[in-house]
Amino acid sequence: MRLAESSIHHYHLPYDRPVHWFNSSEAGANFVLLRLVGDDGSVGVGEATIKPTWSGTSVRSVVAVLEDLLLPALQATDITDAAAVSQSMGRFPENTLAKTLIANACHTLRSAATGKPAWQLAGGSRSVDLSWCVTRQAPPAMAAEAARMVDRFGFRALKVKGGQGIDTDLRALREITKAVGTDVAFYVDTNAAYPLDPSGDYIRAIA
């Protein structure tokens, strides 16, 4: 199948509250969505979050590489052939996020063309386990959010963002455990907030 049409959309979605990461704070997120239409009318989409401190990209840089390099290269490719798409994109170094948009849009297009769910085409399963990310706040607020998400959506695992200071992190973990009970698993991600030296003590304290 050949590519008949493509369009790129970008937008900003606000968060319910500001989120504080190790290296930035943000009140919302920018997204780029790629829509592909095959010559049989099948449609596929791929979406990516644009976070400069994570991917080293901006909305303009992703749109530019799609328009200038990747989409033109796709014109001569069978977009239902995953290996052919990968080979076509492999001609260009770097630009992982833009290539991922292409790959995901082609995958969902193949799903639409065959009438099979995308997870089935990928050899996956109908459902997957998910975790909720509890981002940095005061420990009582983190515990309240964790309890709210567990009660409302049934999450059985939490990804807890650390890096607010070891004492604060440990207090947050204690309060989250008290709020959700011991049947909910959680793990900690400090995003390299601490140097290597105290990491052993930190890990033992978490345990």
Side-chain angles (χ1 to χ4, degrees):
M1 185 188 302
R2 299 299 181 185
L3 179 64
E5 180 185 337
S6 65
S7 58
I8 304 169
H9 311 268
H10 52 87
Y11 39 91
H12 179 85
L13 299 179
Y15 297 149
D16 286 340
R17 60 169 178 80
V19 174
H20 305 289
W21 309 106
F22 169 57
N23 54 6
S24 64
S25 295
E26 55 191 25
N30 295 311
F31 295 85
V32 168
L33 183 141
L34 173 65
R35 182 177 186 268
L36 303 180
V37 182
D39 56 15
D40 73 340
S42 298
V43 177
V45 296
E47 183 187 53
T49 309
I50 307 300
K51 291 175 64 69
T53 56
W54 173 62
S55 62
T57 61
S58 67
V59 169
R60 287 200 302 164
S61 69
V62 171
V63 170
V65 76
L66 286 170
E67 292 180 339
D68 295 348
L69 299 177
L70 303 187
L71 288 173
L74 207 60
Q75 294 291 336
T77 305
D78 178 358
I79 54 178
T80 62
D81 185 337
V85 170
S86 179
Q87 184 177 14
S88 179
M89 297 300 100
R91 295 165 48 200
F92 307 100
E94 308 296 338
N95 300 301
T96 302
L97 194 67
K99 291 176 183 177
T100 300
L101 279 168
I102 294 276
N104 288 347
C106 287
H107 182 69
T108 57
L109 186 144
R110 287 192 297 275
S111 172
T114 60
K116 295 182 179 179
W119 64 265
Q120 196 173 80
L121 286 181
S125 58
R126 186 179 182 88
S127 63
V128 295
D129 293 330
L130 298 175
S131 65
W132 176 262
C133 182
V134 184
T135 55
R136 293 179 177 90
Q137 301 179 79
M142 294 176 73
E145 178 181 308
R148 188 165 62 251
M149 294 301 108
V150 168
D151 290 343
R152 183 176 179 183
F153 298 109
F155 284 103
R156 307 311 300 164
L158 300 171
K159 177 180 182 179
V160 180
K161 285 292 185 177
Q164 299 190 89
I166 293 176
D167 289 342
T168 301
D169 287 358
L170 295 177
R171 180 186 169 200
L173 293 174
R174 285 192 295 269
E175 296 201 20
I176 291 170
T177 302
K178 183 178 179 181
V180 303
T182 56
D183 291 334
V184 176
F186 51 88
Y187 56 103
V188 181
D189 180 4
T190 68
N191 292 124
Y194 303 126
L196 183 60
D197 287 345
S199 295
D201 292 338
Y202 183 74
I203 293 169
R204 281 187 288 273
I206 292 172

